[in-house]
Amino acid sequence: MSIQYKSIKDLSNMLLKRDISHEELIKETFSLIESNIDLNAFITLNKDSAIEKAISLDNNKVESTLSGIPIAQKDLFCTKDLRTTCGSNMLSSFVPPYSATVITNLENAGCISVGKTNMDEFAMGSSNETSFFGNVENPWGKNLVPGGSSGGSASAVSSGIVPAATGTDTGGSIRQPASLCGITGLKPTYGRISRWGMIAFASSLDQAGPMARTAEDCAILLNHMCSHDLKDTTSLDEPIPDFTEDLDKPIKGMKIGIVKEFDLSKLDNDVVKVFEDSKNHYESMGAEFVEISLPNISLSVPTYYVVAPAECSSNLSRFDGVKFGTRCDDPKNLEDLYIRTRSEGFGDEVKRRILIGSYVLSAGFYDAYYKKAQQVRRLIKNDFDNAFSQVDVIMSPTTRGAAFEAGSKGSDPIQMYLEDLFTIPANLAGLPALSLPNGFVNNKPIGLQLIGNFLEESKILQFAHNFQKTSDFHLKTPRGENIS
Amino acid sequence: MSWETVIGLEIHVQLSTKSKLFSGGSTGFGAEPNTHVDLIDMGLPGVLPVANREAFHKAIRFGLATNAEINQVSSFDRKNYFYPDLPKGYQITQMTMPIVGKGSIKIDVDGIEKIINITRAHLEEDAGKSIHDLFDGETGVDLNRAGTPLLEIVSEPEISNAKEAVAYFKAIRQLVTFLDICDGNMAQGSMRCDVNVSIKKEDATELGTRAEIKNINSFKFIERAINYEIERQIRIIESGESVIQETRLYDSVKNETRSMRSKEEANDYRYFPCPDLLPVVISDKEFSEIKDNLPELPDEKEKRYIKESNLDEAEAKIISSSKTMANMFEEACAKTNDSKLVANWLVGDVSALLNKDNIDIEESKLSSNNFAVLIERISDSTISGKIAKSVLEEVWESGEDVDKIIKDKGLVQIQDESVLEDISQNIIRDNPSQVEAYKGGKDKLFGFFVGQVMKETQGKANPKSVNDILKKLLDN
């Protein structure tokens, strides 16, 4: 029995009914990885210990829906004794002595980590083209990018190799690749999932989240990913609900906000049509639409490109060739060690952001850039607070279009930065947001973004699940088949 | 023309917490390199800091003792610079919202009191150590110290000369040891300071350009470095040039300061709020608990010693001047109940030995327990005061246990009056001419007989008993 494209729920039932053993499931997963090796979705595989764990689960099952479920982990999460590269030459041989809290949480719930997925270097990129380990292919088309930075995770789920993957989202790195690969991905409220063991890009924006075929699977994963972690002081000490509880509740009478300032007229007609279709779909389920205003939203991208590089320039200082990671050969002196290690260890996009970040934090520029950006961030947050007094969720396209070809954004980084136009605001405001497949443009999937209020992951999952119960966009495979 | 010196000190006090400021790593001194280092101290990818509340409590104690503003909400910033012993490439410190705000401390220079205002005191993590001389052509890095909590105490530029600077440093050291927030051990680097020195003409209102002398860790060097620096700056200005703003290092071997880096070469630290740490909030309850449990400070001890232990002011001042001395006093008093006797020994013989060796009580080999035993042996007449002096000297040299010295050397006082009486009778019998002279009115000769008995008993006779016995035998 093929396991490809199966959801967590399906696989869990198969294991429960002993249609398949844990060992068979994991071995089959590795066959799928092998047959899809051209996607370049994985940087490092965890075959031996994954099979070992599967065998032990065959003898001793964990009481959880996730018991025995194969999962792909973004290579940004530290995994004990398993190489963790963050997509960078700098960490190309780094083996962490500890695991990220979210990895431990998932593995304790019975998940089997099958490997580490490819990604943009240090999560900086929107096409997975900045990875030291090469481009990842989008299963929906030769030479199409999967999006980024969680491109490997999106590609692995989209191709049906695994039902679930972890991602991280600093400015859209879960939602954008989910949109481009036709899967569902959720960025939770900032602080829901511990950042302990996540290699930091921009600490005040980084948030881990689940990537899966369906909203329901995302809810199941989220149940086990969240925890209040004393090792992360920004981790929230809030009750963690059962995120599957509200999935089936109808959305009739609930309100969806449409952002006045998101000018869709600049998007392709096809993209706009898909979005309008989704609005009609929700309307048919009884949802009401309200136009809302987020007056400062146009400042999101510039604000983000001050805050994120500033934090990254500091976070990446520890990669200096002294203690771990790559070190240049035969340094002549300390300065030479720093300069060559960092020149050789980092790729262009990472260097660009370190430079921007160092600049905006410099004496004399701090007030004009970083401080100002933080003030604008507060205004954007206030805009959302006002909006959520009127609506339950806010809806927009996730991306400006479908997957593009590798190399097509050329050498202009601004074009790439605009990829995250719709996704960045939720990061700045710390709000939960997800992307679900809502249609196709030129036979390529695109996604719909739902932004929720603080801690209201359940509500956006409910909206997404209601949509998926009455549509089949999430059930199309790249080969054009429908998953039964 | 007369020059006025303006000095400000930044003192780094290593807080005596069990674990580091942001990790569970041990703060113990002297371990094998890189053995007191956990994932956080190493700055491994993905690790996050968690602020140590004990460090905050200790910082607050300092603030309370200097009548300072305490910021119950304080936050952390990152100071970015590259150095091999700085594992993360930034130091976490408190730039914008320090835990302790404006305060002040009283100093005493040759009997004259002066108040020095303190601008702020903030928490930050220490760096590791670079070891340049152990490996040929290479530098070793020891991260044991990395992450150790420091309280950086910044004074206003109100210190006028090297003597005042030393007095200020001593006052801070006295305070932090009494508060039990730092061991005050300068040799191990528990206290270090940066000194900012500038000079200006007496009537000038604006400050001169300052030089910062980094990382000095002894009283002597503070004094010498400042005096050297003042002379250097006067020399420069009087020769028509100007002082440049720079960081300098003090070379104790050559007794000079030399340039480390100029203002132009200085790092741009790119400070910004540390996004990994939420502001730390000290609740009112927590705050008042710290306040209610503040240890007794030197001034309070001095008053108590005068009032309750019957010491005179000079004695009380000397004894309360150091935590170790005060502990010795209190421990010995508890054993003997004779505060005057204890004070006499501390202010007299012990202080004399300290002066002779030019050291602080903390540096001596005399432990407070050993001292208490010594006083107890005097008090219970096991040894005479004279013998006690020699025992003290021996302890001073060797640190040996008092009771062991008394036992090994057979110094126990002869209490048996019949033994003393036999010896005394022998002395009287052997010295008939002196007896005659004494009886003839030469009272002073009494001392001769006492001396002879002491000589015979190698000083072990109880002097009071000898007096009584001789009086009885000679006056009858």
Side-chain angles (χ1 to χ4, degrees), chain B residues 233-405:
Chain B
Q233 293 188 12
I234 291 176
R235 208 162 53 232
I236 290 173
I237 295 179
E238 290 189 342
S239 69
E241 291 169 58
S242 31
V243 174
I244 55 166
Q245 189 176 331
E246 62 182 350
T247 304
R248 300 181 70 84
L249 268 186
Y250 175 68
D251 181 334
S252 59
V253 179
K254 293 183 180 160
N255 187 31
E256 61 177 32
T257 66
R258 60 169 180 268
S259 184
M260 209 171 131
R261 56 175 178 262
S262 71
K263 192 186 173 190
E264 286 70 33
E265 296 164 318
N267 282 311
D268 178 349
Y269 291 120
R270 291 172 285 125
Y271 285 99
F272 77 108
C274 181
D276 286 331
L277 289 156
L278 300 178
V280 173
V281 181
I282 304 291
S283 68
D284 291 342
K285 184 170 167 278
E286 216 173 342
F287 184 63
S288 53
E289 263 172 23
I290 300 167
K291 208 169 178 173
D292 294 343
N293 293 306
L294 208 59
E296 195 181 28
L297 296 178
D299 279 359
E300 295 161 350
K301 276 200 193 293
E302 191 181 321
K303 283 186 195 126
R304 182 164 63 85
Y305 291 164
I306 294 169
K307 199 165 160 236
E308 291 174 16
S309 309
N310 287 319
L311 303 194
D312 62 39
E313 211 182 302
E315 289 171 332
K317 202 173 200 79
I318 292 172
I319 292 169
S320 64
S321 70
S322 102
K323 172 122 193 256
T324 313
M325 189 85 92
N327 281 349
M328 279 185 170
F329 176 72
E330 287 173 22
E331 199 170 318
C333 284
K335 275 211 161 102
T336 62
N337 235 338
D338 189 346
S339 58
K340 266 297 190 192
L341 177 70
V342 180
N344 281 340
W345 277 87
L346 281 176
V347 175
D349 292 86
V350 172
S351 291
L353 287 167
L354 289 173
N355 286 338
K356 185 181 75 122
D357 292 356
N358 195 20
I359 56 168
D360 281 314
I361 187 78
E362 295 80 16
E363 299 167 75
S364 82
K365 288 180 181 154
L366 181 65
S367 71
S368 61
N369 178 55
N370 223 4
F371 174 72
V373 171
L374 180 73
I375 299 295
E376 198 180 8
R377 295 296 164 259
I378 302 167
S379 178
D380 66 12
S381 298
T382 306
I383 54 173
S384 67
K386 192 160 175 226
I387 293 286
K389 264 185 213 280
S390 65
V391 173
L392 175 64
E393 274 162 24
E394 185 149 355
V395 173
W396 199 259
E397 293 304 320
S398 65
E400 184 71 80
D401 191 67
V402 164
D403 278 337
K404 190 167 183 298
I405 295 172

Side-chain angles (χ1 to χ4, degrees), chain A residues 8-290:
Chain A
I8 291 174
K9 253 189 117 176
D10 292 340
L11 291 175
S12 186
N13 281 330
M14 287 164 70
L15 287 167
L16 209 63
K17 287 192 272 175
R18 298 189 186 276
D19 292 341
I20 191 170
S21 74
H22 291 79
E23 185 182 355
E24 284 162 347
L25 171 56
I26 292 304
K27 285 186 166 162
E28 187 63 27
T29 301
F30 280 98
S31 310
L32 286 172
I33 292 174
E34 288 301 319
S35 57
N36 286 282
I37 204 79
D38 290 347
L39 293 174
N40 198 25
F42 289 87
I43 293 174
T44 307
L45 296 180
N46 189 36
K47 194 169 179 178
D48 291 346
S49 60
I51 291 171
E52 199 177 307
K53 179 166 180 183
I55 292 169
S56 86
L57 284 175
D58 272 327
N59 298 321
N60 221 335
K61 195 176 167 1
V62 177
E63 284 307 315
S64 148
T65 319
L66 291 180
S67 178
I69 299 298
I71 189 167
Q73 310 285 17
K74 186 174 182 180
D75 206 17
L76 178 143
F77 297 102
C78 284
T79 42
K80 189 172 192 294
D81 302 332
L82 181 63
R83 183 172 72 142
T84 300
T85 72
C86 226
S88 179
N89 184 27
M90 188 61 92
L91 292 176
S92 51
S93 55
F94 175 64
V95 179
Y98 78 109
S99 283
T101 298
V102 62
I103 299 289
T104 307
N105 286 351
L106 285 167
E107 289 182 348
N108 285 347
C111 274
I112 297 178
S113 304
V114 294
K116 306 296 291 289
T117 57
N118 205 337
M119 56 181 282
D120 279 301
E121 184 179 11
F122 284 103
M124 298 173 201
S126 305
S127 64
N128 219 112
E129 290 171 287
T130 71
S131 170
F132 174 71
F133 298 89
N135 291 0
V136 172
E137 200 155 273
N138 187 324
W140 288 84
K142 202 98 195 114
N143 208 29
L144 282 184
V145 304
S149 66
S150 311
S153 287
S155 180
V157 173
S158 172
S159 57
I161 298 172
V162 284
T166 50
T168 63
D169 191 315
T170 305
S173 283
I174 287 175
R175 290 160 289 160
Q176 187 255 12
S179 171
L180 268 46
C181 288
I183 63 165
T184 308
L186 168 68
K187 179 201 94 73
T189 305
Y190 181 80
R192 267 288 194 208
I193 297 176
S194 169
R195 291 188 297 115
W196 173 260
M198 263 175 75
I199 298 178
F201 161 16
S203 315
S204 73
L205 300 161
D206 294 344
Q207 182 58 212
M211 302 174 84
R213 188 149 295 281
T214 64
E216 184 178 30
D217 280 358
C218 283
I220 293 167
L221 287 165
L222 191 61
N223 275 345
H224 295 280
M225 291 170 83
C226 296
S227 60
H228 172 53
D229 187 357
L230 296 176
K231 294 204 285 277
D232 173 6
T233 63
T234 63
S235 144
L236 293 170
D237 187 9
E238 293 283 347
I240 297 160
D242 175 356
F243 294 102
T244 63
E245 210 168 67
D246 293 343
L247 289 174
D248 283 309
K249 286 187 184 158
I251 55 159
K252 193 173 177 351
M254 292 174 87
K255 294 195 176 67
I256 300 176
I258 300 292
V259 184
K260 193 173 85 181
E261 289 82 4
F262 281 156
D263 183 5
L264 301 187
S265 69
K266 285 179 185 153
L267 304 183
D268 286 348
N269 286 340
D270 296 348
V271 178
V272 178
K273 184 173 182 306
V274 168
F275 185 66
E276 292 300 326
D277 287 349
S278 295
K279 275 172 75 178
N280 293 335
H281 192 104
Y282 271 113
E283 213 153 37
S284 74
M285 288 189 281
E288 293 168 25
F289 282 88
V290 180

Side-chain angles (χ1 to χ4, degrees), chain A residues 98 197 233 314-315 318 323 363, chain B residues 44-46 78 80 87 90 268 276:
Chain A
Y98 78 109
T233 63
S314 176
N315 285 333
R318 70 191 60 198
K323 308 155 296 277
Chain B
L44 275 188
R78 290 186 186 173
N80 295 283
Y90 56 83
D268 178 349
D276 286 331

Side-chain angles (χ1 to χ4, degrees), chain B residues 9-114:
Chain B
L9 257 61
E10 290 164 22
I11 301 179
H12 292 88
V13 171
Q14 236 175 47
L15 296 179
S16 52
T17 53
K18 286 186 268 319
S19 58
K20 292 183 176 176
L21 186 52
F22 299 113
S23 81
S26 160
T27 52
F29 179 82
E32 283 290 298
N34 298 309
T35 53
H36 285 175
V37 183
D38 80 355
L39 303 177
I40 297 172
D41 308 324
M42 228 181 311
L44 275 188
V47 300
L48 295 168
V50 177
N52 179 345
R53 280 201 105 75
E54 196 193 350
F56 278 81
H57 293 178
K58 296 202 154 158
I60 291 169
R61 273 196 227 167
F62 176 80
L64 288 168
T66 48
N67 293 313
E69 299 160 11
I70 308 288
N71 297 316
Q72 279 177 255
V73 180
S74 67
S75 65
F76 286 104
D77 303 277
R78 290 186 186 173
K79 177 180 179 177
N80 295 283
Y81 66 97
F82 286 97
Y83 206 67
D85 57 27
L86 187 72
K88 297 186 293 295
Y90 56 83
Q91 178 195 34
I92 305 179
T93 178
Q94 296 192 300
M95 227 271 285
T96 44
M97 289 160 74
I99 175 75
V100 178
K102 282 187 186 341
S104 67
I105 192 166
K106 193 174 69 188
I107 65 167
D108 186 315
V109 183
D110 300 332
I112 298 163
E113 283 184 356
K114 178 173 175 179

